[in-house]
Amino acid sequence: MAKHRELASAGTASLDRARGKEPEWSFVICLASLVFVILGSLFVMAFVKIRTLENSRLKTEESIRVLLKQCDPETMASQLSALGRTLRAAESQACVCPPGPKGDWGPRGERGRRGPEGRRGKDGEKGEKGNQGSRGVDGVQGPPGIDGPRGSMGIPGFPGSPGQQGDIGPQGLPGEPGPAGLRGPRGPSGHRGIPGVNSGNHGVLDSWEVTISSDSYQMGEDGNVTITRDGCYFIYTNVLFYDSGPYYGATTNINGETFLRCIGSRGSSRHVGFGPCYTSGVAEMSAGDQISIVGDFPMRNVDMRPETTYFGIIRLR
């Protein structure tokens, strides 16, 4: 029993000693944890600063490569200055040391290029009018200008001396016949001429002879042919002029209106010559219509032989 009591008391004493040492181990563990946290924080801060410096170095190298590609000394100088400021700012942020004393001023750099011209300012107030300057030297005369519009006709001047006579022009159309002159003395008898008739002042040819009669038309004493039956007629005429006139011609009229016309010219010759004039055509006629042959120029001689001057009408239907 005594031996059991001694063992129990010895165990109780050992347990009491172990309880007395427990606070000392807790303090050591807390202190070790605090040191570990502080060291971890310092390690993280050092790692962040190293990454910042590394990024700044990479940016600097990239900027230097860009500047080398541009090859512009003034632009490189400005960029390097900016990079220097950037690096100094990065170092000031990364460095935990206090800033040193301000250094001396460096030498003055070269003058930069002139910048772009600025915008024009607002116009100022108008100044007072100055004195009139002296007249300058006359300039070189310019080229003649474009002709202006024609002005109004001025007062006619004195008539000039007559010029040289020009060439004789072609003969114009015959004018109106003048009044009949006095009858001259009778001349000697001439040779027997071609049978004919003069067209007279009015030019109506009325000396026709009917060779074939028909119930479709009727010849009048005035030289006009009157149609007696309605129908389609073929009309043809041939007139042979024989005189010295430059022009000749004949017209076939229906009811006084021109239906066919023939005009010829002999040129400037004044000699007597023939001038044939032939026309033909088809016309729709009614009973009572009149056909007449008229010379276009008055006082022309016509060869009235039946084989040279003739006038025909044929009823087609």
PDB file of all heavy atoms in Angstrom, residues 42-72:
ATOM      1  N   LEU A  42       8.592  40.458 -46.408  1.00  0.00           N
ATOM      2  CA  LEU A  42       9.779  41.074 -47.012  1.00  0.00           C
ATOM      3  C   LEU A  42      10.138  40.384 -48.334  1.00  0.00           C
ATOM      4  O   LEU A  42      10.547  41.036 -49.312  1.00  0.00           O
ATOM      5  CB  LEU A  42      10.948  40.983 -46.025  1.00  0.00           C
ATOM      6  CG  LEU A  42      10.836  41.830 -44.747  1.00  0.00           C
ATOM      7  CD1 LEU A  42      12.011  41.580 -43.802  1.00  0.00           C
ATOM      8  CD2 LEU A  42      10.749  43.321 -45.098  1.00  0.00           C
ATOM      9  N   PHE A  43       9.977  39.069 -48.361  1.00  0.00           N
ATOM     10  CA  PHE A  43      10.290  38.352 -49.604  1.00  0.00           C
ATOM     11  C   PHE A  43       9.332  38.766 -50.735  1.00  0.00           C
ATOM     12  O   PHE A  43       9.749  38.984 -51.885  1.00  0.00           O
ATOM     13  CB  PHE A  43      10.181  36.847 -49.335  1.00  0.00           C
ATOM     14  CG  PHE A  43      10.417  36.014 -50.563  1.00  0.00           C
ATOM     15  CD1 PHE A  43      11.720  35.813 -51.030  1.00  0.00           C
ATOM     16  CD2 PHE A  43       9.350  35.451 -51.259  1.00  0.00           C
ATOM     17  CE1 PHE A  43      11.927  35.050 -52.166  1.00  0.00           C
ATOM     18  CE2 PHE A  43       9.575  34.712 -52.391  1.00  0.00           C
ATOM     19  CZ  PHE A  43      10.873  34.495 -52.853  1.00  0.00           C
ATOM     20  N   VAL A  44       8.046  38.910 -50.423  1.00  0.00           N
ATOM     21  CA  VAL A  44       7.064  39.340 -51.447  1.00  0.00           C
ATOM     22  C   VAL A  44       7.382  40.740 -51.930  1.00  0.00           C
ATOM     23  O   VAL A  44       7.339  41.050 -53.140  1.00  0.00           O
ATOM     24  CB  VAL A  44       5.641  39.244 -50.890  1.00  0.00           C
ATOM     25  CG1 VAL A  44       4.644  39.880 -51.856  1.00  0.00           C
ATOM     26  CG2 VAL A  44       5.268  37.791 -50.630  1.00  0.00           C
ATOM     27  N   MET A  45       7.717  41.676 -51.022  1.00  0.00           N
ATOM     28  CA  MET A  45       8.030  43.051 -51.426  1.00  0.00           C
ATOM     29  C   MET A  45       9.269  43.068 -52.306  1.00  0.00           C
ATOM     30  O   MET A  45       9.323  43.794 -53.326  1.00  0.00           O
ATOM     31  CB  MET A  45       8.242  43.903 -50.175  1.00  0.00           C
ATOM     32  CG  MET A  45       6.961  44.130 -49.356  1.00  0.00           C
ATOM     33  SD  MET A  45       7.274  45.028 -47.826  1.00  0.00           S
ATOM     34  CE  MET A  45       7.873  46.581 -48.511  1.00  0.00           C
ATOM     35  N   ALA A  46      10.282  42.251 -51.931  1.00  0.00           N
ATOM     36  CA  ALA A  46      11.504  42.213 -52.745  1.00  0.00           C
ATOM     37  C   ALA A  46      11.200  41.658 -54.138  1.00  0.00           C
ATOM     38  O   ALA A  46      11.705  42.148 -55.159  1.00  0.00           O
ATOM     39  CB  ALA A  46      12.567  41.382 -52.042  1.00  0.00           C
ATOM     40  N   PHE A  47      10.329  40.647 -54.181  1.00  0.00           N
ATOM     41  CA  PHE A  47       9.976  40.073 -55.498  1.00  0.00           C
ATOM     42  C   PHE A  47       9.236  41.074 -56.373  1.00  0.00           C
ATOM     43  O   PHE A  47       9.495  41.200 -57.576  1.00  0.00           O
ATOM     44  CB  PHE A  47       9.120  38.825 -55.268  1.00  0.00           C
ATOM     45  CG  PHE A  47       8.684  38.154 -56.542  1.00  0.00           C
ATOM     46  CD1 PHE A  47       9.592  37.372 -57.275  1.00  0.00           C
ATOM     47  CD2 PHE A  47       7.395  38.320 -57.034  1.00  0.00           C
ATOM     48  CE1 PHE A  47       9.200  36.779 -58.438  1.00  0.00           C
ATOM     49  CE2 PHE A  47       7.022  37.730 -58.210  1.00  0.00           C
ATOM     50  CZ  PHE A  47       7.910  36.952 -58.928  1.00  0.00           C
ATOM     51  N   VAL A  48       8.313  41.849 -55.778  1.00  0.00           N
ATOM     52  CA  VAL A  48       7.560  42.874 -56.537  1.00  0.00           C
ATOM     53  C   VAL A  48       8.499  43.938 -57.066  1.00  0.00           C
ATOM     54  O   VAL A  48       8.402  44.399 -58.217  1.00  0.00           O
ATOM     55  CB  VAL A  48       6.451  43.463 -55.659  1.00  0.00           C
ATOM     56  CG1 VAL A  48       5.817  44.666 -56.353  1.00  0.00           C
ATOM     57  CG2 VAL A  48       5.399  42.405 -55.356  1.00  0.00           C
ATOM     58  N   LYS A  49       9.478  44.383 -56.225  1.00  0.00           N
ATOM     59  CA  LYS A  49      10.417  45.418 -56.673  1.00  0.00           C
ATOM     60  C   LYS A  49      11.285  44.900 -57.816  1.00  0.00           C
ATOM     61  O   LYS A  49      11.572  45.629 -58.781  1.00  0.00           O
ATOM     62  CB  LYS A  49      11.294  45.842 -55.490  1.00  0.00           C
ATOM     63  CG  LYS A  49      10.549  46.525 -54.348  1.00  0.00           C
ATOM     64  CD  LYS A  49       9.882  47.788 -54.827  1.00  0.00           C
ATOM     65  CE  LYS A  49       9.151  48.483 -53.662  1.00  0.00           C
ATOM     66  NZ  LYS A  49       8.516  49.723 -54.111  1.00  0.00           N
ATOM     67  N   ILE A  50      11.693  43.627 -57.706  1.00  0.00           N
ATOM     68  CA  ILE A  50      12.532  43.056 -58.772  1.00  0.00           C
ATOM     69  C   ILE A  50      11.743  42.994 -60.089  1.00  0.00           C
ATOM     70  O   ILE A  50      12.258  43.323 -61.154  1.00  0.00           O
ATOM     71  CB  ILE A  50      13.040  41.673 -58.340  1.00  0.00           C
ATOM     72  CG1 ILE A  50      14.060  41.819 -57.190  1.00  0.00           C
ATOM     73  CG2 ILE A  50      13.684  40.948 -59.523  1.00  0.00           C
ATOM     74  CD1 ILE A  50      14.463  40.496 -56.558  1.00  0.00           C
ATOM     75  N   ARG A  51      10.468  42.608 -60.040  1.00  0.00           N
ATOM     76  CA  ARG A  51       9.651  42.551 -61.257  1.00  0.00           C
ATOM     77  C   ARG A  51       9.436  43.937 -61.860  1.00  0.00           C
ATOM     78  O   ARG A  51       9.436  44.110 -63.069  1.00  0.00           O
ATOM     79  CB  ARG A  51       8.286  41.907 -60.940  1.00  0.00           C
ATOM     80  CG  ARG A  51       8.365  40.432 -60.540  1.00  0.00           C
ATOM     81  CD  ARG A  51       8.907  39.584 -61.687  1.00  0.00           C
ATOM     82  NE  ARG A  51       8.018  39.663 -62.835  1.00  0.00           N
ATOM     83  CZ  ARG A  51       8.280  39.137 -64.008  1.00  0.00           C
ATOM     84  NH1 ARG A  51       9.448  38.511 -64.200  1.00  0.00           N
ATOM     85  NH2 ARG A  51       7.432  39.241 -65.010  1.00  0.00           N
ATOM     86  N   THR A  52       9.286  44.927 -60.962  1.00  0.00           N
ATOM     87  CA  THR A  52       9.100  46.308 -61.459  1.00  0.00           C
ATOM     88  C   THR A  52      10.334  46.781 -62.192  1.00  0.00           C
ATOM     89  O   THR A  52      10.265  47.385 -63.276  1.00  0.00           O
ATOM     90  CB  THR A  52       8.774  47.242 -60.294  1.00  0.00           C
ATOM     91  OG1 THR A  52       7.610  46.761 -59.617  1.00  0.00           O
ATOM     92  CG2 THR A  52       8.528  48.653 -60.781  1.00  0.00           C
ATOM     93  N   LEU A  53      11.514  46.545 -61.595  1.00  0.00           N
ATOM     94  CA  LEU A  53      12.762  46.946 -62.252  1.00  0.00           C
ATOM     95  C   LEU A  53      12.955  46.191 -63.566  1.00  0.00           C
ATOM     96  O   LEU A  53      13.435  46.755 -64.563  1.00  0.00           O
ATOM     97  CB  LEU A  53      13.937  46.705 -61.311  1.00  0.00           C
ATOM     98  CG  LEU A  53      14.004  47.595 -60.048  1.00  0.00           C
ATOM     99  CD1 LEU A  53      15.155  47.146 -59.156  1.00  0.00           C
ATOM    100  CD2 LEU A  53      14.164  49.054 -60.441  1.00  0.00           C
ATOM    101  N   GLU A  54      12.568  44.902 -63.565  1.00  0.00           N
ATOM    102  CA  GLU A  54      12.716  44.125 -64.801  1.00  0.00           C
ATOM    103  C   GLU A  54      11.808  44.677 -65.904  1.00  0.00           C
ATOM    104  O   GLU A  54      12.218  44.808 -67.065  1.00  0.00           O
ATOM    105  CB  GLU A  54      12.355  42.660 -64.518  1.00  0.00           C
ATOM    106  CG  GLU A  54      12.573  41.712 -65.706  1.00  0.00           C
ATOM    107  CD  GLU A  54      14.036  41.568 -66.046  1.00  0.00           C
ATOM    108  OE1 GLU A  54      14.888  41.874 -65.187  1.00  0.00           O
ATOM    109  OE2 GLU A  54      14.334  41.166 -67.194  1.00  0.00           O
ATOM    110  N   ASN A  55      10.580  45.026 -65.570  1.00  0.00           N
ATOM    111  CA  ASN A  55       9.661  45.613 -66.571  1.00  0.00           C
ATOM    112  C   ASN A  55      10.184  46.942 -67.089  1.00  0.00           C
ATOM    113  O   ASN A  55      10.087  47.248 -68.281  1.00  0.00           O
ATOM    114  CB  ASN A  55       8.270  45.785 -65.979  1.00  0.00           C
ATOM    115  CG  ASN A  55       7.600  44.453 -65.691  1.00  0.00           C
ATOM    116  OD1 ASN A  55       7.917  43.452 -66.347  1.00  0.00           O
ATOM    117  ND2 ASN A  55       6.705  44.425 -64.713  1.00  0.00           N
ATOM    118  N   SER A  56      10.742  47.765 -66.168  1.00  0.00           N
ATOM    119  CA  SER A  56      11.299  49.057 -66.600  1.00  0.00           C
ATOM    120  C   SER A  56      12.462  48.846 -67.544  1.00  0.00           C
ATOM    121  O   SER A  56      12.620  49.565 -68.546  1.00  0.00           O
ATOM    122  CB  SER A  56      11.740  49.865 -65.378  1.00  0.00           C
ATOM    123  OG  SER A  56      10.651  50.114 -64.521  1.00  0.00           O
ATOM    124  N   ARG A  57      13.301  47.834 -67.233  1.00  0.00           N
ATOM    125  CA  ARG A  57      14.429  47.569 -68.122  1.00  0.00           C
ATOM    126  C   ARG A  57      13.958  47.118 -69.504  1.00  0.00           C
ATOM    127  O   ARG A  57      14.486  47.560 -70.525  1.00  0.00           O
ATOM    128  CB  ARG A  57      15.322  46.485 -67.486  1.00  0.00           C
ATOM    129  CG  ARG A  57      16.609  46.201 -68.289  1.00  0.00           C
ATOM    130  CD  ARG A  57      17.405  45.089 -67.620  1.00  0.00           C
ATOM    131  NE  ARG A  57      16.647  43.840 -67.647  1.00  0.00           N
ATOM    132  CZ  ARG A  57      16.587  43.024 -68.700  1.00  0.00           C
ATOM    133  NH1 ARG A  57      17.227  43.348 -69.819  1.00  0.00           N
ATOM    134  NH2 ARG A  57      15.898  41.907 -68.648  1.00  0.00           N
ATOM    135  N   LEU A  58      12.930  46.273 -69.549  1.00  0.00           N
ATOM    136  CA  LEU A  58      12.408  45.814 -70.848  1.00  0.00           C
ATOM    137  C   LEU A  58      11.815  46.969 -71.649  1.00  0.00           C
ATOM    138  O   LEU A  58      12.010  47.079 -72.867  1.00  0.00           O
ATOM    139  CB  LEU A  58      11.343  44.730 -70.623  1.00  0.00           C
ATOM    140  CG  LEU A  58      11.857  43.413 -70.038  1.00  0.00           C
ATOM    141  CD1 LEU A  58      10.686  42.461 -69.764  1.00  0.00           C
ATOM    142  CD2 LEU A  58      12.867  42.756 -70.972  1.00  0.00           C
ATOM    143  N   LYS A  59      11.090  47.837 -70.960  1.00  0.00           N
ATOM    144  CA  LYS A  59      10.532  49.008 -71.660  1.00  0.00           C
ATOM    145  C   LYS A  59      11.630  49.901 -72.186  1.00  0.00           C
ATOM    146  O   LYS A  59      11.547  50.467 -73.277  1.00  0.00           O
ATOM    147  CB  LYS A  59       9.613  49.791 -70.717  1.00  0.00           C
ATOM    148  CG  LYS A  59       8.327  49.064 -70.383  1.00  0.00           C
ATOM    149  CD  LYS A  59       7.463  49.908 -69.468  1.00  0.00           C
ATOM    150  CE  LYS A  59       6.151  49.193 -69.132  1.00  0.00           C
ATOM    151  NZ  LYS A  59       5.312  50.016 -68.215  1.00  0.00           N
ATOM    152  N   THR A  60      12.684  50.042 -71.397  1.00  0.00           N
ATOM    153  CA  THR A  60      13.802  50.888 -71.839  1.00  0.00           C
ATOM    154  C   THR A  60      14.466  50.304 -73.074  1.00  0.00           C
ATOM    155  O   THR A  60      14.763  51.028 -74.041  1.00  0.00           O
ATOM    156  CB  THR A  60      14.826  51.023 -70.697  1.00  0.00           C
ATOM    157  OG1 THR A  60      14.176  51.564 -69.542  1.00  0.00           O
ATOM    158  CG2 THR A  60      15.960  51.938 -71.114  1.00  0.00           C
ATOM    159  N   GLU A  61      14.691  49.003 -73.074  1.00  0.00           N
ATOM    160  CA  GLU A  61      15.305  48.383 -74.246  1.00  0.00           C
ATOM    161  C   GLU A  61      14.405  48.501 -75.481  1.00  0.00           C
ATOM    162  O   GLU A  61      14.879  48.763 -76.590  1.00  0.00           O
ATOM    163  CB  GLU A  61      15.585  46.911 -73.934  1.00  0.00           C
ATOM    164  CG  GLU A  61      16.689  46.701 -72.889  1.00  0.00           C
ATOM    165  CD  GLU A  61      16.894  45.221 -72.587  1.00  0.00           C
ATOM    166  OE1 GLU A  61      16.095  44.402 -73.134  1.00  0.00           O
ATOM    167  OE2 GLU A  61      17.827  44.902 -71.827  1.00  0.00           O
ATOM    168  N   GLU A  62      13.101  48.352 -75.280  1.00  0.00           N
ATOM    169  CA  GLU A  62      12.181  48.484 -76.419  1.00  0.00           C
ATOM    170  C   GLU A  62      12.181  49.903 -76.963  1.00  0.00           C
ATOM    171  O   GLU A  62      12.183  50.141 -78.174  1.00  0.00           O
ATOM    172  CB  GLU A  62      10.749  48.094 -75.979  1.00  0.00           C
ATOM    173  CG  GLU A  62       9.717  48.132 -77.113  1.00  0.00           C
ATOM    174  CD  GLU A  62      10.000  47.087 -78.165  1.00  0.00           C
ATOM    175  OE1 GLU A  62      10.675  46.075 -77.840  1.00  0.00           O
ATOM    176  OE2 GLU A  62       9.550  47.277 -79.305  1.00  0.00           O
ATOM    177  N   SER A  63      12.202  50.885 -76.067  1.00  0.00           N
ATOM    178  CA  SER A  63      12.236  52.285 -76.517  1.00  0.00           C
ATOM    179  C   SER A  63      13.514  52.583 -77.252  1.00  0.00           C
ATOM    180  O   SER A  63      13.535  53.317 -78.252  1.00  0.00           O
ATOM    181  CB  SER A  63      12.081  53.216 -75.321  1.00  0.00           C
ATOM    182  OG  SER A  63      10.870  52.960 -74.649  1.00  0.00           O
ATOM    183  N   ILE A  64      14.626  52.027 -76.789  1.00  0.00           N
ATOM    184  CA  ILE A  64      15.922  52.262 -77.457  1.00  0.00           C
ATOM    185  C   ILE A  64      15.900  51.659 -78.856  1.00  0.00           C
ATOM    186  O   ILE A  64      16.379  52.259 -79.826  1.00  0.00           O
ATOM    187  CB  ILE A  64      17.072  51.679 -76.608  1.00  0.00           C
ATOM    188  CG1 ILE A  64      17.237  52.516 -75.321  1.00  0.00           C
ATOM    189  CG2 ILE A  64      18.369  51.655 -77.401  1.00  0.00           C
ATOM    190  CD1 ILE A  64      18.227  51.931 -74.341  1.00  0.00           C
ATOM    191  N   ARG A  65      15.283  50.466 -79.008  1.00  0.00           N
ATOM    192  CA  ARG A  65      15.192  49.864 -80.346  1.00  0.00           C
ATOM    193  C   ARG A  65      14.332  50.720 -81.275  1.00  0.00           C
ATOM    194  O   ARG A  65      14.644  50.903 -82.446  1.00  0.00           O
ATOM    195  CB  ARG A  65      14.616  48.449 -80.221  1.00  0.00           C
ATOM    196  CG  ARG A  65      15.620  47.427 -79.707  1.00  0.00           C
ATOM    197  CD  ARG A  65      15.101  46.019 -79.946  1.00  0.00           C
ATOM    198  NE  ARG A  65      13.896  45.742 -79.163  1.00  0.00           N
ATOM    199  CZ  ARG A  65      13.909  45.207 -77.945  1.00  0.00           C
ATOM    200  NH1 ARG A  65      15.062  44.918 -77.352  1.00  0.00           N
ATOM    201  NH2 ARG A  65      12.792  44.976 -77.301  1.00  0.00           N
ATOM    202  N   VAL A  66      13.227  51.255 -80.749  1.00  0.00           N
ATOM    203  CA  VAL A  66      12.370  52.123 -81.581  1.00  0.00           C
ATOM    204  C   VAL A  66      13.111  53.371 -81.998  1.00  0.00           C
ATOM    205  O   VAL A  66      13.038  53.837 -83.144  1.00  0.00           O
ATOM    206  CB  VAL A  66      11.078  52.473 -80.833  1.00  0.00           C
ATOM    207  CG1 VAL A  66      10.273  53.511 -81.600  1.00  0.00           C
ATOM    208  CG2 VAL A  66      10.255  51.217 -80.609  1.00  0.00           C
ATOM    209  N   LEU A  67      13.885  53.953 -81.059  1.00  0.00           N
ATOM    210  CA  LEU A  67      14.651  55.151 -81.380  1.00  0.00           C
ATOM    211  C   LEU A  67      15.713  54.861 -82.421  1.00  0.00           C
ATOM    212  O   LEU A  67      15.979  55.671 -83.316  1.00  0.00           O
ATOM    213  CB  LEU A  67      15.289  55.715 -80.109  1.00  0.00           C
ATOM    214  CG  LEU A  67      14.321  56.336 -79.089  1.00  0.00           C
ATOM    215  CD1 LEU A  67      15.075  56.728 -77.831  1.00  0.00           C
ATOM    216  CD2 LEU A  67      13.619  57.542 -79.697  1.00  0.00           C
ATOM    217  N   LEU A  68      16.353  53.701 -82.310  1.00  0.00           N
ATOM    218  CA  LEU A  68      17.374  53.352 -83.300  1.00  0.00           C
ATOM    219  C   LEU A  68      16.758  53.165 -84.686  1.00  0.00           C
ATOM    220  O   LEU A  68      17.386  53.472 -85.699  1.00  0.00           O
ATOM    221  CB  LEU A  68      18.107  52.069 -82.864  1.00  0.00           C
ATOM    222  CG  LEU A  68      19.003  52.222 -81.616  1.00  0.00           C
ATOM    223  CD1 LEU A  68      19.589  50.879 -81.227  1.00  0.00           C
ATOM    224  CD2 LEU A  68      20.117  53.247 -81.867  1.00  0.00           C
ATOM    225  N   LYS A  69      15.554  52.642 -84.738  1.00  0.00           N
ATOM    226  CA  LYS A  69      14.888  52.504 -86.036  1.00  0.00           C
ATOM    227  C   LYS A  69      14.512  53.862 -86.612  1.00  0.00           C
ATOM    228  O   LYS A  69      14.580  54.087 -87.808  1.00  0.00           O
ATOM    229  CB  LYS A  69      13.620  51.647 -85.881  1.00  0.00           C
ATOM    230  CG  LYS A  69      13.921  50.182 -85.616  1.00  0.00           C
ATOM    231  CD  LYS A  69      12.637  49.394 -85.501  1.00  0.00           C
ATOM    232  CE  LYS A  69      12.915  47.918 -85.224  1.00  0.00           C
ATOM    233  NZ  LYS A  69      11.658  47.146 -85.115  1.00  0.00           N
ATOM    234  N   GLN A  70      14.074  54.781 -85.818  1.00  0.00           N
ATOM    235  CA  GLN A  70      13.694  56.104 -86.315  1.00  0.00           C
ATOM    236  C   GLN A  70      14.889  56.894 -86.803  1.00  0.00           C
ATOM    237  O   GLN A  70      14.803  57.665 -87.753  1.00  0.00           O
ATOM    238  CB  GLN A  70      12.958  56.896 -85.232  1.00  0.00           C
ATOM    239  CG  GLN A  70      11.602  56.281 -84.871  1.00  0.00           C
ATOM    240  CD  GLN A  70      10.914  57.047 -83.774  1.00  0.00           C
ATOM    241  OE1 GLN A  70      11.512  57.962 -83.182  1.00  0.00           O
ATOM    242  NE2 GLN A  70       9.680  56.671 -83.475  1.00  0.00           N
ATOM    243  N   CYS A  71      16.043  56.744 -86.164  1.00  0.00           N
ATOM    244  CA  CYS A  71      17.294  57.410 -86.585  1.00  0.00           C
ATOM    245  C   CYS A  71      17.110  58.915 -86.673  1.00  0.00           C
ATOM    246  O   CYS A  71      17.541  59.569 -87.615  1.00  0.00           O
ATOM    247  CB  CYS A  71      17.776  56.856 -87.921  1.00  0.00           C
ATOM    248  SG  CYS A  71      18.295  55.129 -87.827  1.00  0.00           S
ATOM    249  N   ASP A  72      16.392  59.490 -85.779  1.00  0.00           N
ATOM    250  CA  ASP A  72      16.234  60.940 -85.727  1.00  0.00           C
ATOM    251  C   ASP A  72      16.912  61.418 -84.446  1.00  0.00           C
ATOM    252  O   ASP A  72      16.426  61.142 -83.342  1.00  0.00           O
ATOM    253  CB  ASP A  72      14.748  61.302 -85.724  1.00  0.00           C
ATOM    254  CG  ASP A  72      14.558  62.786 -85.862  1.00  0.00           C
ATOM    255  OD1 ASP A  72      15.555  63.534 -85.834  1.00  0.00           O
ATOM    256  OD2 ASP A  72      13.392  63.216 -86.005  1.00  0.00           O
TER     257      ASP A  72
END
